Amino acid sequence: MLKVLDTAELGTWVEAIIKAHDVIGIQARADKFDFGPLAKVQDLRLDYDVSLNAPKRFFLLPDEKLFTFKKDEAKSAQAAEPFVLFGVHPYDLIALRQLDKLFEMDNPDVHYLSRRAKAIVVAVDVQKPSAHVFAGCLGFEHVEDSYDILLTKIGNEYLADAATAAGEKLIALGKGFTKADDTHLAARKKIWDENKQALRRHELKPNKAQITAQLEKSYDHKIWKEKARLCFSCGSCNLVCPTCYCFDVADRLNWDLASGERVRTWDGCMLEDFATVAGPHNFRNQREARYRHRYYRKGKYVPDKIGEFSCVGCGRCIGACVTHIANPVEVYNAIMEA
Amino acid sequence: MDRPRVAIFDFACCEGCQLQLYNLEEGLLDVLGLIEPVEWREAISDQSDSYDIAVIEGSITRKEDEERLKDIRKRAKVMIALGACATIGGVNKLKNQFDFGEVRRTVYGKDAEAPHLDTARVKAVHEVVPVEVKIHGCPIDHFEFGTILKSVLAGKTPSIPNYPVCVECKKKGNICRYEYNEVCLGPITRAGCGAKCPTGGFWCFGCRGLLDNPNVDAAKEVMDIYGKTVDDLSGRLLLFNNQS
């Protein structure tokens, strides 16, 4: 369902959504933007460049109780609550789509999937490119599925594309929506084309397939050692990444030392002990091995699993790395020159 | 199972970590259900030479303290270092920067030469005797104390992070202090505090000590990106991580 809303009417519509739903919306935070509970419509900033934190944290929680246990008994943690996630950029939605695939595979992850199933996602096309975004190089500047509603700002109007029944219901909460026509679709296509050029603050030379193929023969490339020399193994690039999904699982005992809760927390392959197993043996105990692993995950291992390149070009890792070594564009360009 | 006998001893410190144990509040009753304190200066007047677990607070600054600590070690099955002074030497190690005679005169003035005021290089507990468990921080986090104590009593190896504070900042969704060109010790400092200082808008002081394998060279090398110098970094490191 395609509708159009005058930008002046957006506030009234969002207000109605806030009244009817819990809304996590994009808003200003210090000199940046971030997702958080949206208390009032005035805080919503659809003109943002990039959110400080990727939306994955609302589905794969940084710290999460999975279940509580007693000696012979376990009880699953409480079910997910529904909410509306308002203002997700296309590259971040593509990241969520990838996590959906990964968490549906093998043993479906009920904790992640139940939150996803209950969430209504309102995506928005990028209006202002961030400092490090390169999604345009990857074709991830726009998205054509996986949203409940996609909003695109076209002049003084928002084109609202509702792709699901839940999305249509949200639109029904608004007044002043009018019918869209082919000129709106053509205008959106033009914005997508423009964003493909605008969302490339770093220029990735190879295409996705070329990177995946080149990684086959880049295991001993000098770049891994060169870059890893300045790696803190701090995991910042992992944790800000919208497609990194590794976690650790631990038991927290109660004072009876018999009952407790099982929790999972974010983990990252850059951290020194990430690959430590019984023994103890650490099969990636060198910084360069860990550093290399991340680029193989994004460029080869995960693509081999789900058939899609697993770096979406949001550029958060570039900004988050204190020593400026985490730019995937630099790395993938360099291996092509081997 | 009999409750293990636990003795808490303080050496050179402010005794604030001992005080943190009271911040468990009603949780303290749970602790007392599992252990029997036999010496604990801030809580009970009893003293004992017979204990299973010795908890050492403070750093070791005099020869006689080393002897006392070795004696405690002989009696204890398990030794726990409590707080930054005990685990890494803490702020007391600042003293190691200076001439000890000058230090004594500065602190004690005309009494500086009194024999009981003799002083030596500050050491963390593990620099004198073997330590099984370190509970980091200045002060310690009382919840972490509980978690570690439960692990020890359950016969498990306590899980003490060997990843940096950045991990906890990112989990909290904090804005990195380096975004504001501040020298933060987070990337080389052991986590476990929940990134309290950066979450409060301050750089990390490094009170939990360095990681097992910190990339200090990288920290030095990138100072100029942020308009800082290696001296700026070293100055920050002195407070809790004086290596001398």
Side-chain angles (χ1 to χ4, degrees):
Chain A
M1 182 176 79
L2 286 165
K3 295 274 187 183
V4 179
L5 185 69
D6 197 287
T7 49
E9 304 288 334
L10 183 80
T12 324
W13 176 48
V14 175
E15 220 162 71
I17 296 174
I18 291 175
K19 267 190 194 144
H21 298 270
D22 282 336
V23 180
I24 305 284
I26 186 71
Q27 47 203 295
R29 180 173 159 199
D31 55 349
K32 308 196 180 302
F33 298 96
D34 205 3
F35 286 98
L38 191 68
K40 53 186 200 295
V41 60
Q42 290 83 355
D43 292 339
L44 187 70
R45 290 291 299 271
L46 296 180
D47 61 337
Y48 76 110
D49 53 359
V50 65
S51 65
L52 177 66
N53 292 289
K56 72 173 177 187
R57 63 170 45 237
F58 302 106
F59 305 104
L60 178 67
L61 310 187
D63 279 290
E64 174 178 11
K65 192 201 293 185
L66 299 176
F67 58 82
T68 54
F69 60 85
K70 288 181 191 165
K71 198 163 188 296
D72 297 309
E73 186 189 324
K75 199 175 144 203
S76 186
Q78 65 185 47
E81 297 296 325
F83 65 98
V84 174
L85 184 59
F86 208 111
V88 177
H89 275 165
Y91 49 78
D92 275 339
L93 188 60
I94 289 163
L96 283 177
R97 183 174 77 193
Q98 295 188 3
L99 295 189
D100 294 348
K101 276 189 199 166
L102 288 156
F103 282 119
E104 277 161 7
M105 285 168 90
D106 306 325
N107 293 311
D109 188 298
V110 291
H111 302 273
Y112 173 92
L113 293 172
S114 65
R115 289 193 191 96
R116 277 292 279 136
K118 290 201 172 174
I120 302 170
V121 176
V122 180
V124 61
D125 273 312
V126 179
Q127 296 171 24
K128 186 186 161 204
S130 68
H132 292 300
V133 67
F134 58 97
C137 309
L138 297 159
F140 292 152
E141 75 291 334
H142 84 279
V143 64
E144 299 184 34
D145 55 43
S146 304
Y147 50 79
D148 292 284
I149 298 175
L150 172 65
L151 296 175
T152 311
K153 189 166 184 280
I154 301 169
N156 290 325
E157 292 175 323
Y158 269 103
L159 175 63
D161 177 354
T164 63
E168 288 181 10
K169 269 191 185 167
L170 270 198
I171 287 192
L173 292 173
K175 293 186 182 79
F177 277 101
T178 56
K179 231 175 141 240
D181 55 40
D182 285 350
T183 59
H184 290 104
L185 279 180
R188 182 171 76 176
K189 178 72 175 51
K190 188 164 168 276
I191 283 169
W192 288 352
D193 289 343
E194 284 166 5
N195 275 351
K196 195 173 185 58
Q197 298 312 314
L199 271 59
R200 44 174 83 215
R201 294 298 183 90
H202 300 270
E203 190 64 38
L204 187 63
K205 290 175 196 158
N207 66 33
K208 293 179 281 191
Q210 286 169 328
I211 293 168
T212 304
Q214 186 69 14
L215 283 170
E216 291 273 4
K217 45 190 177 182
S218 302
Y219 207 70
D220 297 317
H221 198 282
K222 62 181 194 290
I223 185 126
W224 313 123
K225 195 168 195 159
E226 276 173 18
K227 293 280 184 183
R229 193 177 63 81
L230 287 180
C231 181
F232 281 130
S233 300
C234 72
S236 291
C237 54
N238 290 136
L239 302 174
V240 301
C241 177
T243 66
C244 271
Y245 60 94
C246 286
F247 55 81
D248 195 9
V249 174
D251 286 350
R252 288 182 191 154
L253 287 175
N254 293 331
W255 284 104
D256 63 5
L257 307 184
S259 67
E261 57 189 41
R262 182 157 298 177
V263 296
R264 72 166 161 197
T265 63
W266 283 2
D267 205 342
C269 58
M270 296 300 221
L271 304 176
E272 186 175 11
D273 293 344
F274 179 80
T276 299
V277 293
H281 175 68
N282 186 347
F283 54 86
R284 273 197 297 276
N285 62 0
Q286 296 298 312
R287 279 184 216 284
E288 64 180 276
R290 295 193 294 274
Y291 181 88
R292 174 178 59 203
H293 185 72
R294 176 171 150 76
Y295 295 95
Y296 271 74
R297 285 288 293 180
K298 301 301 167 197
K300 174 156 177 56
Y301 302 153
V302 176
D304 285 350
K305 236 171 137 81
I306 62 170
E308 193 168 17
F309 202 74
S310 181
C311 168
V312 294
C314 71
R316 287 188 183 90
C317 54
I318 304 173
C321 181
V322 169
T323 61
H324 294 191
I325 56 162
N327 187 339
V329 176
E330 274 179 24
V331 170
Y332 291 138
N333 283 349
I335 63 165
M336 297 310 290
E337 290 161 9
Chain B
M1 187 187 81
D2 283 344
R3 290 179 301 162
R5 294 165 65 83
V6 176
I8 301 175
F9 300 101
D10 44 85
F11 286 77
C13 64
C14 74
E15 295 184 54
C17 289
Q18 231 183 103
L19 205 57
Q20 272 291 82
L21 303 184
Y22 298 105
N23 283 334
L24 282 163
E25 298 182 349
E26 70 271 25
L28 198 54
L29 299 175
D30 293 317
V31 175
L32 294 176
L34 289 176
I35 63 164
E36 182 190 355
V38 295
E39 178 156 349
W40 182 358
R41 204 177 73 85
E42 282 190 354
I44 58 178
S45 43
D46 298 357
Q47 290 187 307
S48 177
D49 285 335
S50 167
Y51 36 81
D52 304 299
I53 299 174
V55 179
I56 307 297
E57 186 195 29
S59 40
I60 312 306
T61 64
R62 300 181 302 177
K63 278 211 183 72
E64 51 266 51
D65 292 339
E66 290 200 21
E67 296 314 312
R68 180 179 168 225
L69 182 65
K70 284 174 185 164
D71 185 55
I72 294 169
R73 177 69 261 195
K74 277 182 206 148
R75 295 167 200 275
K77 295 190 189 90
V78 174
M79 184 166 268
I80 299 176
L82 184 75
C85 294
T87 59
I88 57 173
V91 289
N92 294 322
K93 277 208 172 184
L94 274 173
K95 184 184 74 178
N96 296 353
Q97 285 294 105
F98 303 98
D99 172 79
F100 293 160
E102 189 190 319
V103 167
R104 283 167 71 176
R105 283 189 295 279
T106 304
V107 176
Y108 298 110
K110 62 181 169 48
D111 300 323
E113 299 309 315
H116 68 289
L117 298 178
D118 196 13
T119 195
R121 189 178 79 84
V122 171
K123 293 176 183 171
V125 175
H126 70 267
E127 293 177 79
V128 181
V129 294
V131 168
E132 277 80 16
V133 181
K134 292 176 186 170
I135 302 179
H136 294 282
C138 177
I140 61 148
D141 179 295
H142 49 286
F143 294 113
E144 189 183 26
F145 172 82
T147 306
I148 291 173
L149 183 67
K150 282 183 267 190
S151 291
V152 170
L153 295 175
K156 313 278 185 203
T157 305
S159 172
I160 295 162
N162 181 35
Y163 50 77
V165 173
C166 303
V167 171
E168 291 174 339
C169 258
K170 294 297 174 292
K171 280 160 84 173
K172 292 226 157 130
N174 290 340
I175 302 175
C176 181
R177 302 317 303 169
Y178 281 92
E179 292 266 351
Y180 303 118
N181 294 326
E182 290 175 18
V183 179
C184 174
L185 298 182
I188 49 176
T189 298
R190 186 183 305 280
C193 53
K196 282 193 182 77
C197 297
T199 304
F202 225 82
W203 40 272
C204 168
F205 289 83
C207 78
R208 292 176 63 89
L210 299 178
L211 295 164
D212 287 354
N213 197 10
N215 198 344
V216 179
D217 289 342
K220 287 179 183 164
E221 209 169 315
V222 299
M223 279 300 115
D224 60 336
I225 297 178
Y226 301 97
K228 303 289 181 194
T229 65
V230 172
D231 280 348
D232 292 327
L233 177 74
S234 304
R236 290 266 153 105
L237 276 167
L238 263 186
L239 186 59
F240 280 102
N241 292 283
N242 186 355
Q243 303 299 316
S244 58

